């Protein structure tokens, strides 16, 4: 395995000391190392991977030095546009080093949402004309690959290092967010909200642990999973899936269970929800100020006023709570005192980072999930 400090030192030797990206579980150790060792100017956890390529381009324009963009392969979709229309040699010809975690690598068991992306990971790079190396787990070989990457960057190319599982040695994140005062766990908040739903209501939950915790809540309560669309991939799009349902099924309330990282990833979607003004839409953001599901790297979630953003774009009722009592009270107000004219609703729940160690994964397939939900919605 490669020691994070070895890898980063090699990049520094090649003049790369600026990072931007969205963290990934396979890159957890290297992302944690970067978070702890680079200041806010030199490590920007971006809203999404495309934005990270934009940041890298800006850094190059200002310094003449390429930056490194780290991401999970799920983020490849988000970088296609800036690769094709910003960094490409036929456009501005801007070098960027991509560090791509290869979830779903063919032959390695992974969750359903990673299988397709894993198959097309290197193919997409080929189509985009991006040369790459699958990073060796041996330091001397990896050093040679970094040499090769540096030559491509010097030639103003985008170059990718594709990272397999267990490439980097363990590194424990020591940077903590200023959220120590938060006591409510995400799982308890999820259970409290799910328990407050009406019979006909449905939930669209975001990728990562939020969907896993919701799934386990249903199992623990001996309930079916038909009310819940567990969006295992498509980070940042849960609110639009929920909006699509809400507009087509005006007689049902639709709850979106979002994360702060996912909300921020495609925050523009909030404006579309608010302007469509569905009278049956409740957007709940479990805000722990972190990309908790992939290692807990910070987001800007706890530094910004999400309900104020929601209010500004046009959600009719916006709230923030940070403890169980306040949450229960707020849910009771939503359920019994608000008229339909006070929708769409935005509810931020500030929760602490972390999850139960024995948290399971959905045992139903995405297709079973989809079919059960469609059957539920058709009734
Ligand atoms: C486009 C894309 N980029 C990155 C990921 C990897 N990923 C999965 S969950 C997650 C973090 C989600 O954070 P948040 O929405 O705040 O929820 P939390 O895990 O903190 O509950 C990330 C980065 C992904 N699935 N898709």
């Amino acid at each position: 395995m490669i020691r994070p400090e070895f890898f980063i030192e090699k990049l520094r030797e090649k003049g790369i000391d600026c990072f931007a990206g969205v963290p990934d579980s396979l890159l957890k150790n290297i992302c944690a190392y970067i978070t702890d060792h680079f200041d806010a100017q030199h490590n920007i956890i971006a809203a999404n991977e495309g934005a990270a390529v934009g940041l890298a381009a800006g850094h190059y324009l200002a310094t003449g030095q390429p930056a490194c963009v780290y991401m999970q392969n799920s983020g490849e979709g988000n970088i296609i546009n800036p690769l094709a229309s910003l960094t490409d040699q036929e456009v501005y010809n801007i070098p960027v080093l991509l560090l791509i975690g290869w979830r779903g690598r063919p032959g390695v068991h992974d969750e359903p949402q990673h299988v397709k992306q894993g198959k097309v990971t290197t193919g997409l790079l080929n189509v985009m004309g991006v040369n790459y190396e699958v990073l060796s787990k041996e330091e001397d070989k990896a050093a040679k690959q970094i040499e090769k990457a540096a030559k491509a960057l010097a030639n103003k190319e985008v170059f990718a290092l594709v990272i397999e599982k267990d490439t980097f040695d363990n590194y424990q994140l020591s940077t903590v967010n200023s959220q120590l005062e938060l006591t409510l766990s995400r799982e308890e908040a999820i259970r409290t909200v799910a328990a407050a739903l009406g019979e006909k209501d449905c939930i669209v939950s975001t990728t990562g642990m939020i969907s896993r915790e919701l799934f386990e809540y249903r199992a623990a309560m001996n309930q079916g999973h038909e009310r819940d669309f567990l969006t295992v991939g498509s980070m940042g799009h849960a609110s639009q899936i929920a909006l699509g349902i809400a507009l087509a099924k005006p007689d049902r309330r639709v709850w979106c269970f979002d994360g702060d990282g996912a909300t921020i990833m495609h925050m523009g979607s909030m404006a579309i929800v608010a302007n469509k003004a569905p009278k049956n839409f409740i957007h709940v953001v479990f805000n722990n100020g972190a990309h908790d599901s992939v290692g807990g790297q910070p987001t800007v979630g706890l530094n910004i006023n999400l309900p104020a953003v929601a209010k500004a774009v046009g959600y009719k009722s916006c709230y923030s709570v940070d403890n169980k009592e306040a949450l229960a009270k707020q849910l009771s107000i939503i359920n019994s005192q608000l008229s339909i004219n006070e929708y769409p609703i935005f509810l931020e729940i500030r929760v602490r980072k972390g999850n139960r160690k024995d948290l399971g994964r959905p045992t139903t397939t995405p297709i079973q999930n989809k079919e059960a939900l469609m059957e539920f919605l058709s009734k």
Side-chain angles (χ1 to χ4, degrees):
M1 277 202 236
I2 301 181
R3 289 166 295 138
E5 60 272 29
F6 172 86
F7 183 76
I8 294 300
E9 207 36 57
K10 288 285 161 210
L11 294 191
R12 271 195 216 267
E13 282 171 16
K14 302 296 170 199
I16 297 171
D17 69 349
C18 185
F19 297 82
V22 176
D24 167 37
S25 46
L26 292 192
L27 301 179
K28 188 168 138 183
N29 295 323
I30 195 73
C31 285
Y33 186 87
I34 295 167
T35 300
D36 279 353
H37 290 85
F38 290 84
D39 63 25
Q41 252 60 44
H42 294 85
N43 177 31
I44 300 128
I45 298 180
N48 60 59
E49 294 81 357
V53 173
L55 284 159
H59 179 76
Y60 178 79
L61 293 175
T63 65
Q65 294 295 329
C68 173
V69 168
Y70 52 82
M71 53 187 267
Q72 182 174 100
N73 53 350
S74 311
E76 274 185 321
N78 286 335
I79 65 168
I80 297 293
N81 175 247
L83 284 186
S85 61
L86 173 65
T87 58
D88 193 82
Q89 298 202 310
E90 292 181 57
V91 194
Y92 292 103
N93 198 22
I94 293 178
V96 180
L97 178 65
L98 302 173
L99 208 59
I100 305 178
W102 197 354
R103 294 290 306 258
R105 179 177 185 158
V108 179
H109 175 76
D110 211 330
E111 298 305 308
Q113 67 273 25
H114 296 297
V115 173
K116 177 71 180 187
Q117 187 69 51
K119 282 185 194 155
V120 301
T121 295
T122 54
L124 282 172
L125 295 173
N126 289 332
V127 166
M128 299 311 293
V130 173
N131 289 320
Y132 66 89
E133 287 278 322
V134 178
L135 191 68
S136 169
K137 296 179 184 177
E138 292 169 37
E139 290 185 348
D140 53 341
K141 288 189 185 149
K144 291 203 179 87
Q145 292 174 309
I146 294 170
E147 287 289 340
K148 184 172 171 187
K151 282 198 185 108
L153 295 170
N155 195 29
K156 301 197 178 57
E157 292 169 33
V158 174
F159 192 90
L161 293 172
V162 179
I163 314 293
E164 297 174 296
K165 200 170 176 214
D166 297 330
T167 294
F168 291 108
D169 255 351
N170 197 33
Y171 180 84
Q172 201 60 38
L173 183 70
S174 62
T175 304
V176 284
N177 266 7
S178 54
Q179 55 151 352
L180 293 175
E181 73 282 7
L182 293 170
T183 52
L184 182 59
S185 76
R186 181 187 52 219
E187 185 164 26
E188 187 164 18
I190 286 173
R191 288 167 176 250
T192 308
V193 183
L197 257 65
E199 273 291 289
K200 288 173 69 183
D201 296 4
C202 74
I203 302 175
V204 177
S205 56
T206 183
T207 184
M209 293 193 189
I210 289 177
S211 282
R212 290 166 61 183
E213 288 171 349
L214 176 61
F215 187 90
E216 294 232 328
Y217 166 76
R218 296 292 187 207
M221 300 302 286
N222 283 322
Q223 296 172 356
H225 303 281
E226 68 279 1
R227 286 177 176 73
D228 311 326
F229 187 77
L230 310 167
T231 318
V232 289
S234 270
M235 183 169 167
H237 297 307
S239 74
Q240 302 306 282
I241 302 169
L243 179 60
I245 298 174
L247 293 173
K249 294 281 176 191
D251 57 331
R252 287 177 189 275
R253 287 194 307 177
V254 183
W255 299 67
C256 174
F257 280 18
D258 229 341
D260 49 295
T263 303
I264 292 165
M265 181 167 270
H266 294 299
M267 209 166 178
S269 288
M270 287 174 64
I272 306 305
V273 169
N275 279 262
K276 288 292 161 205
K279 298 197 179 304
N280 54 343
F281 189 99
I282 303 146
H283 197 163
V284 184
V285 178
F286 299 91
N287 185 359
N288 52 14
H291 286 285
D292 200 32
S293 301
V294 291
Q297 291 82 2
T299 69
V300 295
L302 293 171
N303 306 338
I304 62 175
N305 188 337
L306 277 173
V309 173
K311 194 84 196 159
V313 296
Y315 283 73
K316 292 283 185 332
S317 307
C318 305
Y319 311 104
S320 179
V321 295
D322 65 3
N323 62 74
K324 199 171 175 196
E325 296 68 39
L327 174 59
K329 204 164 143 201
Q330 199 58 65
L331 289 167
S332 142
I333 291 171
I334 290 172
N335 279 338
S336 56
Q337 293 176 28
L338 293 192
S339 78
I340 56 165
N341 295 326
E342 287 159 296
Y343 283 68
I345 296 169
F346 186 89
L347 173 60
E348 174 195 55
I349 309 176
R350 292 189 162 223
V351 292
R352 67 174 147 84
K353 245 169 81 166
N355 62 285
R356 202 160 30 88
K357 291 295 160 256
D358 60 350
L359 182 64
R361 291 180 182 276
T363 49
T364 52
T365 67
I367 290 180
Q368 287 168 334
N369 179 206
K370 175 196 73 176
E371 284 170 355
L373 177 92
M374 289 180 76
E375 168 73 19
F376 174 73
L377 290 178
S378 71
K379 283 183 194 144

